[in-house]
Amino acid sequence: QVHLVESGGGLVQAGGSLRLSCAASGRTNYAMGWLRQAPGKEREFVAAISGSGGATYYADSVEGRFTISRDNAKNTVDLQMNSLKPEDTAVYYCAATTAIDVVVVVAEEYDYWGQGTQVTVSS
């Protein structure tokens, strides 16, 4: 069983930056990702990282602005968000999968989810 806790969300003006962190219990090498859900919209993929950290993948909407990283020794996964836009406003969720080592880009393939942290970007 895996327990995930996100932190680092908040209110920021357009063009600003935030760094989200996800603390995970259990295994330290499972594939993980960040996904978000805006009001009235479906949950969408943002970024993913393989269990080893050797591979990452980003949604087109955040490519070049967001960076996902992990520290398996500390069992954490971070999401550095730069050049934030109002359309980035959403609840951001950390997720993990029991897959051995893979970049997961489909929300339905994740097995464990955190409670989410709110990111609000003002115009």
Side-chain angles (χ1 to χ4, degrees):
Q1 190 169 355
V2 177
H3 182 65
L4 307 173
V5 180
E6 304 98 332
S7 63
L11 175 64
V12 65
Q13 294 187 23
S17 299
L18 285 173
R19 188 176 184 90
L20 307 183
S21 183
C22 174
S25 65
R27 291 173 55 194
T28 61
N29 66 337
Y30 33 51
M32 299 185 68
W34 288 94
L35 302 94
R36 67 188 182 187
Q37 187 167 23
K41 297 183 179 180
E42 298 292 328
R43 187 171 297 184
E44 66 173 347
F45 167 79
V46 175
I49 189 166
S50 62
S52 67
T56 59
Y57 198 82
Y58 300 90
D60 290 343
S61 60
V62 305
E63 179 71 48
R65 299 189 297 120
F66 292 10
T67 302
I68 188 171
S69 61
R70 70 187 301 156
D71 185 339
N72 285 349
K74 297 192 297 184
N75 224 1
T76 58
V77 177
D78 290 353
L79 183 68
Q80 178 66 46
M81 305 184 294
N82 298 325
S83 302
L84 284 162
K85 305 174 181 179
E87 51 263 45
D88 293 319
T89 295
V91 176
Y92 283 70
Y93 297 90
C94 176
T97 177
T98 54
I100 297 175
D101 194 1
V102 62
V103 174
V104 177
V105 300
V106 179
E108 289 76 10
E109 293 188 16
Y110 283 97
D111 301 304
Y112 305 98
W113 297 83
Q115 294 299 304
T117 185
Q118 177 70 49
V119 172
T120 302
V121 184
S122 62
S123 302

